Amino acid sequence: MSRMLRSCIQSLLKLVNSFLAMFGIAMILYAIWMIRAWNREMEDSDYPAPWFIYTMLGLGVTLCVITCSGHIAAETANGCCLYCYLVFVVFLLMLEGAVTMDVFLNRNWEEDFPKDPSGNFNEFKNFIKENFDMCKWVGLSIVSIQGLCTVLALILKGLGPHQQRHYDSDDDYTLEEVPLLRNYVNQPTYVVGAPVYGTR
């Protein structure tokens, strides 16, 4: 029963991670599109691409790395992999929470960010203002997916690793792991053969 439950939770964690990976890939593609647009506009100048583009690219790559570690943790159900994955996800949730609190509680939150000469940050901000309801639901769904990943990883950690043991040789077995052989070893040995009647 626990093997089937572990397998279902592993599959669910992989599926939920796939949604996060798709969002990370979308962020990377958007950043690449912004870099190409920036290079087209600034062909003659040597200005580097602005911070907003690199931030979007970095967040997309980070999200893809986190989902990759989540797939590895889900497949192996190893405690160390699951702990590392949980640390990544919780850190990402805390970062998202800090930025969200800054935007909602600070009226001058735009001053916290450096100037963006490309204008992509202002376009992104205006898009969010115009489509606030849709962006709110996308953001809430991403946070809820991350929370679900955390819960599934904790449940998988609670179930423990697979109990299958593979040994390269018979010398790796100990008597404590094989209880049926323990009683057999302590019994006297018998010799099977032709009976011997008398001595000459």
Side-chain angles (χ1 to χ4, degrees), residues 35-111:
I35 288 172
R36 291 194 60 194
W38 173 261
N39 289 336
R40 256 184 280 140
E41 289 177 12
M42 302 294 203
E43 286 182 18
D44 299 330
S45 65
D46 291 336
Y47 289 118
W51 66 270
F52 179 69
I53 296 174
Y54 287 129
T55 303
M56 188 68 73
L57 182 64
L59 285 175
V61 169
T62 302
L63 199 56
C64 287
V65 168
I66 289 173
T67 56
C68 182
S69 70
H71 278 283
I72 292 170
E75 182 63 33
T76 61
N78 184 349
C80 182
C81 292
L82 286 168
Y83 280 134
C84 289
Y85 173 66
L86 284 170
V87 166
F88 288 148
V89 172
V90 168
F91 179 72
L92 188 64
L93 281 170
M94 288 171 48
L95 181 67
E96 290 169 357
V99 171
T100 303
M101 295 303 281
D102 183 44
V103 168
F104 282 118
L105 297 179
N106 186 3
R107 292 185 183 177
N108 301 322
W109 63 271
E110 295 174 16
E111 297 174 1

Side-chain angles (χ1 to χ4, degrees), residues 1-11 74-75 77 156 159-166:
M1 178 69 178
S2 73
R3 178 179 287 176
M4 188 170 69
L5 180 63
R6 182 184 297 113
S7 177
C8 288
I9 290 177
Q10 284 175 316
S11 299
E75 182 63 33
L156 192 58
L159 289 174
H162 295 289
Q163 296 299 325
Q164 299 171 351
R165 296 181 179 163
H166 302 286

